[in-house]
Amino acid sequence: MSPVPAVVLVGPMGVGKSTVGQLLAERLAVGYRDTDDDIVAAEGRAIAEIFVDEGEPVFRAIEKRAVRDALAAHDGVLALGGGSILDADTRALLAGHRVVYLSMDVEEAVRRTGLNAARPLLAINPRKQWRELMEARRELYEEVATVVVATDGRTPEEVTQVALEALELKEA
């Protein structure tokens, strides 16, 4: 049988998937992997460059392969890119996994990310675009989630603890 990630993290950009993922991995004594990092390493360029040079459909195809490969090969904590859940095949692959949806409201997103232009989907009117992205994605995040953990007003350590308790996982 192939390895199964201990925990898969989904949620919008800037929600803290990388930070919480690394803390969860430490607390569970497992490895940490981020599919965005996998994509950057495989492609040899930043995700924003792929968006600009190739367009979103090409990026999403690359992302879909990266998620599929990571789900099949990684047994630790796995963080997925914010838009990875847009793909129906990816959502189907997540069925049966322990998936934590890290949620936050738009004010928290502004505070954390500054909704900066380095995020290609937020280049123009970032607050409005973030809200529209979340309206399009929220129910998809909820569809794949085993548990939802609100991150608003919580430290990464608090979010990690809530996720562990919600999943009923014991620290290593």
Side-chain angles (χ1 to χ4, degrees), residues 27 42 85 107 169:
R27 303 263 299 263
I85 48 78
E107 287 72 26
L169 291 174

Side-chain angles (χ1 to χ4, degrees), residues 8-165:
V8 179
L9 298 175
V10 299
M13 59 190 88
V15 76
K17 294 182 299 283
S18 297
T19 303
V20 170
Q22 290 167 0
L23 288 170
L24 273 171
E26 282 175 30
R27 303 263 299 263
L28 296 170
V30 297
Y32 170 76
R33 184 169 174 178
D34 183 318
T35 56
D36 282 351
D37 293 342
D38 292 351
I39 292 166
V40 170
E43 296 295 313
R45 56 193 169 148
I47 288 172
E49 287 180 50
I50 300 168
F51 263 85
V52 171
D53 296 346
E54 312 289 336
E56 186 174 0
V58 169
F59 171 76
R60 294 294 174 208
I62 294 167
E63 180 177 57
K64 179 179 179 175
R65 284 191 306 274
V67 170
R68 183 192 63 222
D69 294 349
L71 285 171
H74 186 67
D75 62 359
V77 176
L78 179 63
L80 305 186
S84 61
I85 48 78
L86 295 170
D87 182 77
D89 294 336
T90 296
R91 292 194 308 276
L93 284 176
L94 289 170
H97 287 280
R98 277 189 207 105
V99 179
V100 176
Y101 162 32
L102 299 179
S103 69
M104 69 178 168
D105 65 23
V106 70
E107 287 72 26
E108 187 81 355
V110 169
R111 190 180 66 72
R112 289 189 192 180
T113 66
L115 294 180
N116 61 35
R119 311 244 184 212
L121 291 178
L122 301 177
I124 303 164
N125 194 346
R127 187 180 293 256
K128 177 176 179 272
Q129 287 181 297
W130 192 90
R131 204 174 262 122
E132 288 172 0
L133 279 175
M134 279 309 299
E135 285 170 13
R137 296 176 180 181
R138 183 173 288 107
E139 66 186 44
L140 299 177
Y141 289 134
E142 291 171 352
E143 175 188 324
V144 301
T146 308
V147 297
V148 178
V149 177
T151 64
D152 305 274
R154 288 179 166 155
T155 66
E157 292 76 13
E158 290 168 333
V159 172
T160 300
Q161 187 60 41
V162 170
L164 286 169
E165 290 169 4

